[in-house]
Amino acid sequence: MIQEEQQQAQKGVIFALAAYLLWGIAPIYFKQLTLVSPFEILSHRVVWSFVLLSLLIHISRQWGLIRQLFRSGKTIALLCITSLLVGSNWLIFIWAISNNHMLDASLGYFINPIINVILGLVFLQERLRKMQWLAVTLAMAGVAVQLFVFGSIPFVAIALALSFGFYGLLRKKIAVDAVTGLFIETLVLFPVAAIYLTGFANSPTSNLANNSLWLDFLLFSAGIVTTIPLLCFAGAAKRLRLSTLGFFQYIGPSIMFLLAVIVYGETFSTDKAITFTFIWGALIIFSLDGLKNRRSKTLINALKNRPDTTA
């Protein structure tokens, strides 16, 4: 039994690494599409993700579950909202990569864990520990320095962190697995994306027949780029504790940061350096507090489950 659990945990680690590595190198894919407008890329991402997810739903014979979901008006209403949030997040991310703001995108996903803590405090009445308060304060200080000292606001980073944070908050309220939920979300966005691509898109790349085979292949691959990391993440979430999974979340933005500075030559200016330093400090404190809290819970559970030998 223990050996089986260890094997499942090892598989979970592999899935988690795959998910966050793929999310981290995703900008390389989107950099190949800089000639295509962000909204056009988003539309292809929605359309081909919907097609691929439909195929997966069909293979796994989950159409009954989909029909059952549509009987719950509240669930569908929440998924309509999350579809707008994830669509906005995708669009902002695509725009950032296309316009050489990969550092800002990286910062947004570094900030996201702190945003999640704040949203939990405000909307879920979760209590923050002292170290978490310190981490939140450091993160806010980093943004404040960039705003008041350098007069710049990291709009892209804040928009990415908030849209993904609220997306995660609402998805917690919906008892739907990742693949089924994303299928409904892409279903909601599909008509707009399809109508735009077939009736309103008017760019040098909007007519697939005029594109190179390579460009069309890249556009068709948008569904794979979206869905495969999600499937890996879902596989990891089933096998690992959320606290364990949380420590993998910094892989993606770290890879983005390195790509932005080393590969694509984005300027790591003083204001960004100071802000990143504050955020990294906050995340170190946040992670250490999580480890300490997890060890404390493990010790308490061990003491509770220890056989009583005093009798």
Side-chain angles (χ1 to χ4, degrees), residues 215-292:
L215 180 57
D216 283 344
F217 170 76
L218 288 174
L219 292 173
F220 295 152
S221 300
I224 297 174
V225 171
T226 300
T227 306
I228 297 301
L230 181 77
L231 292 175
C232 292
F233 178 81
K238 287 181 181 179
R239 293 169 173 84
L240 297 176
R241 296 178 181 178
L242 285 178
S243 57
T244 303
L245 190 59
F247 290 107
F248 289 93
Q249 66 188 322
Y250 307 125
I251 294 175
S254 297
I255 294 174
M256 283 187 221
F257 176 85
L258 294 173
L259 284 173
V261 176
I262 298 173
V263 178
Y264 296 107
E266 290 191 19
T267 303
F268 193 44
S269 55
T270 304
D271 60 330
K272 284 187 173 62
I274 293 175
T275 300
F276 267 96
T277 300
F278 273 98
I279 298 299
W280 286 332
L283 291 177
I284 290 171
I285 293 171
F286 182 78
S287 299
L288 290 175
D289 176 74
L291 278 173
K292 180 182 177 182

Side-chain angles (χ1 to χ4, degrees), residues 157-176:
I158 292 173
L160 283 173
L162 286 176
S163 59
F164 201 67
F166 276 103
Y167 174 75
L169 177 69
L170 290 178
R171 283 300 298 266
K172 279 186 178 181
K173 296 180 176 293
I174 309 171
V176 179

Side-chain angles (χ1 to χ4, degrees), residues 121-177:
L121 172 68
V122 175
F123 293 100
L124 303 178
Q125 286 76 53
E126 295 179 352
R127 294 182 178 181
L128 300 190
R129 298 182 291 273
K130 291 181 180 179
M131 296 291 280
Q132 288 179 318
W133 275 115
L134 178 58
V136 170
T137 302
L138 273 177
M140 294 177 67
V143 175
V145 166
Q146 188 167 349
L147 173 61
F148 294 108
V149 177
F150 296 94
S152 60
I153 303 175
F155 284 112
V156 170
I158 292 173
L160 283 173
L162 286 176
S163 59
F164 201 67
F166 276 103
Y167 174 75
L169 177 69
L170 290 178
R171 283 300 298 266
K172 279 186 178 181
K173 296 180 176 293
I174 309 171
V176 179
D177 66 272

Side-chain angles (χ1 to χ4, degrees), residues 54-196:
S54 298
L55 182 62
L56 292 173
I57 294 291
H58 183 73
I59 292 172
S60 58
R61 300 179 180 179
Q62 290 184 311
W63 291 117
L65 177 59
I66 300 297
R67 286 192 293 270
Q68 186 178 351
L69 278 176
F70 274 97
R71 295 185 188 129
S72 173
K74 181 180 178 181
T75 299
I76 294 301
L78 285 174
L79 284 170
C80 286
I81 297 172
T82 58
S83 69
L84 296 176
L85 286 170
V86 75
S88 301
N89 184 270
W90 286 352
L91 181 60
I92 296 165
F93 179 78
I94 293 167
W95 181 91
I97 302 305
S98 298
N99 290 273
N100 300 317
H101 287 281
M102 199 184 300
L103 273 174
D104 291 320
S106 170
L107 178 61
Y109 290 113
F110 275 124
I111 293 175
N112 184 246
I114 306 298
I115 292 293
N116 289 340
V117 170
I118 296 173
L119 292 177
L121 172 68
V122 175
F123 293 100
L124 303 178
Q125 286 76 53
E126 295 179 352
R127 294 182 178 181
L128 300 190
R129 298 182 291 273
K130 291 181 180 179
M131 296 291 280
Q132 288 179 318
W133 275 115
L134 178 58
V136 170
T137 302
L138 273 177
M140 294 177 67
V143 175
V145 166
Q146 188 167 349
L147 173 61
F148 294 108
V149 177
F150 296 94
S152 60
I153 303 175
F155 284 112
V156 170
I158 292 173
L160 283 173
L162 286 176
S163 59
F164 201 67
F166 276 103
Y167 174 75
L169 177 69
L170 290 178
R171 283 300 298 266
K172 279 186 178 181
K173 296 180 176 293
I174 309 171
V176 179
D177 66 272
V179 174
T180 306
L182 188 62
F183 170 78
I184 300 295
E185 289 163 350
T186 53
L187 173 63
V188 171
L189 297 173
F190 178 82
V192 177
I195 291 171
Y196 174 77

